[in-house]
mmCIF file of all heavy atoms in Angstrom:
data_model
loop_
_atom_site.group_PDB
_atom_site.id
_atom_site.type_symbol
_atom_site.label_atom_id
_atom_site.label_comp_id
_atom_site.label_asym_id
_atom_site.label_seq_id
_atom_site.Cartn_x
_atom_site.Cartn_y
_atom_site.Cartn_z
ATOM 1 N N VAL Y 279 92.176 -34.061 190.718
ATOM 2 C CA VAL Y 279 91.754 -35.066 189.746
ATOM 3 C C VAL Y 279 91.662 -36.410 190.389
ATOM 4 O O VAL Y 279 92.684 -36.968 190.903
ATOM 5 C CB VAL Y 279 92.772 -35.105 188.585
ATOM 6 C CG1 VAL Y 279 92.437 -36.193 187.616
ATOM 7 C CG2 VAL Y 279 92.744 -33.740 187.780
ATOM 8 N N ALA Y 280 90.509 -37.008 190.366
ATOM 9 C CA ALA Y 280 90.248 -38.363 190.919
ATOM 10 C C ALA Y 280 90.292 -39.434 189.887
ATOM 11 O O ALA Y 280 90.654 -40.578 190.151
ATOM 12 C CB ALA Y 280 88.913 -38.345 191.668
ATOM 13 N N VAL Y 281 89.824 -39.110 188.653
ATOM 14 C CA VAL Y 281 89.787 -40.092 187.540
ATOM 15 C C VAL Y 281 90.165 -39.352 186.261
ATOM 16 O O VAL Y 281 89.778 -38.231 186.049
ATOM 17 C CB VAL Y 281 88.376 -40.698 187.410
ATOM 18 C CG1 VAL Y 281 88.332 -41.655 186.257
ATOM 19 C CG2 VAL Y 281 87.919 -41.370 188.704
ATOM 20 N N ARG Y 282 90.989 -39.969 185.486
ATOM 21 C CA ARG Y 282 91.302 -39.454 184.145
ATOM 22 C C ARG Y 282 91.270 -40.667 183.178
ATOM 23 O O ARG Y 282 92.058 -41.571 183.256
ATOM 24 C CB ARG Y 282 92.675 -38.848 184.135
ATOM 25 C CG ARG Y 282 92.883 -37.927 182.893
ATOM 26 C CD ARG Y 282 94.354 -37.494 182.830
ATOM 27 N NE ARG Y 282 94.840 -36.828 184.056
ATOM 28 C CZ ARG Y 282 94.739 -35.493 184.208
ATOM 29 N NH1 ARG Y 282 94.185 -34.719 183.303
ATOM 30 N NH2 ARG Y 282 95.186 -34.954 185.375
ATOM 31 N N SER Y 283 90.316 -40.659 182.200
ATOM 32 C CA SER Y 283 90.166 -41.750 181.312
ATOM 33 C C SER Y 283 91.202 -41.668 180.131
ATOM 34 O O SER Y 283 91.893 -40.620 179.945
ATOM 35 C CB SER Y 283 88.799 -41.757 180.655
ATOM 36 O OG SER Y 283 88.701 -40.787 179.602
ATOM 37 N N PRO Y 284 91.396 -42.716 179.388
ATOM 38 C CA PRO Y 284 92.154 -42.609 178.144
ATOM 39 C C PRO Y 284 91.374 -41.644 177.175
ATOM 40 O O PRO Y 284 90.250 -41.272 177.448
ATOM 41 C CB PRO Y 284 92.128 -44.021 177.588
ATOM 42 C CG PRO Y 284 91.613 -44.916 178.647
ATOM 43 C CD PRO Y 284 90.807 -44.071 179.552
ATOM 44 N N TRP Y 285 92.085 -41.301 176.122
ATOM 45 C CA TRP Y 285 91.441 -40.492 175.069
ATOM 46 C C TRP Y 285 90.546 -41.406 174.298
ATOM 47 O O TRP Y 285 91.054 -42.328 173.612
ATOM 48 C CB TRP Y 285 92.479 -39.748 174.175
ATOM 49 C CG TRP Y 285 93.263 -38.719 174.882
ATOM 50 C CD1 TRP Y 285 94.486 -38.806 175.461
ATOM 51 C CD2 TRP Y 285 92.836 -37.398 175.175
ATOM 52 N NE1 TRP Y 285 94.835 -37.635 176.077
ATOM 53 C CE2 TRP Y 285 93.834 -36.756 175.924
ATOM 54 C CE3 TRP Y 285 91.618 -36.678 174.889
ATOM 55 C CZ2 TRP Y 285 93.771 -35.414 176.351
ATOM 56 C CZ3 TRP Y 285 91.517 -35.358 175.315
ATOM 57 C CH2 TRP Y 285 92.543 -34.712 176.066
ATOM 58 N N GLU Y 286 89.294 -41.216 174.403
ATOM 59 C CA GLU Y 286 88.254 -42.062 173.759
ATOM 60 C C GLU Y 286 86.957 -41.378 173.612
ATOM 61 O O GLU Y 286 86.839 -40.226 174.050
ATOM 62 C CB GLU Y 286 88.055 -43.376 174.588
ATOM 63 C CG GLU Y 286 87.574 -43.059 175.967
ATOM 64 C CD GLU Y 286 87.342 -44.265 176.822
ATOM 65 O OE1 GLU Y 286 87.614 -45.366 176.359
ATOM 66 O OE2 GLU Y 286 86.773 -44.106 177.902
ATOM 67 N N ASN Y 287 85.916 -42.042 173.025
ATOM 68 C CA ASN Y 287 84.620 -41.401 172.956
ATOM 69 C C ASN Y 287 84.062 -41.236 174.318
ATOM 70 O O ASN Y 287 83.956 -42.186 175.150
ATOM 71 C CB ASN Y 287 83.641 -42.280 172.134
ATOM 72 C CG ASN Y 287 83.895 -42.177 170.625
ATOM 73 O OD1 ASN Y 287 84.548 -41.201 170.152
ATOM 74 N ND2 ASN Y 287 83.400 -43.200 169.893
ATOM 75 N N VAL Y 288 83.585 -40.023 174.669
ATOM 76 C CA VAL Y 288 82.999 -39.771 175.980
ATOM 77 C C VAL Y 288 81.559 -39.307 175.867
ATOM 78 O O VAL Y 288 80.832 -39.200 176.887
ATOM 79 C CB VAL Y 288 83.817 -38.735 176.753
ATOM 80 C CG1 VAL Y 288 85.212 -39.198 176.933
ATOM 81 C CG2 VAL Y 288 83.773 -37.380 176.031
ATOM 82 N N GLY Y 289 81.020 -39.074 174.673
ATOM 83 C CA GLY Y 289 79.636 -38.573 174.616
ATOM 84 C C GLY Y 289 79.528 -37.068 174.534
ATOM 85 O O GLY Y 289 80.447 -36.349 174.903
ATOM 86 N N LEU Y 290 78.364 -36.622 174.104
ATOM 87 C CA LEU Y 290 78.194 -35.240 173.818
ATOM 88 C C LEU Y 290 77.386 -34.434 174.863
ATOM 89 O O LEU Y 290 77.248 -33.259 174.749
ATOM 90 C CB LEU Y 290 77.433 -35.029 172.454
ATOM 91 C CG LEU Y 290 78.233 -35.542 171.279
ATOM 92 C CD1 LEU Y 290 77.355 -35.529 170.022
ATOM 93 C CD2 LEU Y 290 79.469 -34.670 171.083
ATOM 94 N N TYR Y 291 76.864 -35.131 175.861
ATOM 95 C CA TYR Y 291 75.961 -34.495 176.864
ATOM 96 C C TYR Y 291 76.528 -34.693 178.263
ATOM 97 O O TYR Y 291 77.323 -35.672 178.495
ATOM 98 C CB TYR Y 291 74.599 -35.016 176.730
ATOM 99 C CG TYR Y 291 73.978 -34.802 175.378
ATOM 100 C CD1 TYR Y 291 73.959 -35.844 174.489
ATOM 101 C CD2 TYR Y 291 73.472 -33.557 175.082
ATOM 102 C CE1 TYR Y 291 73.428 -35.580 173.211
ATOM 103 C CE2 TYR Y 291 72.893 -33.344 173.823
ATOM 104 C CZ TYR Y 291 72.916 -34.407 172.893
ATOM 105 O OH TYR Y 291 72.403 -34.157 171.621
ATOM 106 N N PRO Y 292 76.180 -33.842 179.241
ATOM 107 C CA PRO Y 292 76.509 -34.160 180.604
ATOM 108 C C PRO Y 292 76.020 -35.540 181.046
ATOM 109 O O PRO Y 292 74.896 -35.919 180.730
ATOM 110 C CB PRO Y 292 75.819 -33.039 181.411
ATOM 111 C CG PRO Y 292 75.608 -31.937 180.442
ATOM 112 C CD PRO Y 292 75.421 -32.577 179.052
ATOM 113 N N VAL Y 293 76.980 -36.359 181.549
ATOM 114 C CA VAL Y 293 76.640 -37.756 181.877
ATOM 115 C C VAL Y 293 75.496 -37.765 182.933
ATOM 116 O O VAL Y 293 75.336 -36.901 183.761
ATOM 117 C CB VAL Y 293 77.860 -38.499 182.435
ATOM 118 C CG1 VAL Y 293 78.920 -38.623 181.265
ATOM 119 C CG2 VAL Y 293 78.437 -37.860 183.630
ATOM 120 N N VAL Y 294 74.772 -38.871 183.006
ATOM 121 C CA VAL Y 294 73.779 -39.149 184.000
ATOM 122 C C VAL Y 294 74.191 -40.415 184.755
ATOM 123 O O VAL Y 294 74.908 -41.236 184.138
ATOM 124 C CB VAL Y 294 72.332 -39.227 183.454
ATOM 125 C CG1 VAL Y 294 71.879 -37.930 182.850
ATOM 126 C CG2 VAL Y 294 72.207 -40.381 182.449
ATOM 127 N N ALA Y 295 73.749 -40.586 185.991
ATOM 128 C CA ALA Y 295 74.169 -41.694 186.832
ATOM 129 C C ALA Y 295 72.975 -42.584 187.170
ATOM 130 O O ALA Y 295 71.878 -42.101 187.335
ATOM 131 C CB ALA Y 295 74.896 -41.169 188.129
#
Side-chain angles (χ1 to χ4, degrees):
V279 173
V281 178
R282 195 189 304 271
S283 80
W285 292 99
E286 60 177 4
N287 284 341
V288 300
L290 292 174
Y291 299 99
V293 297
V294 296

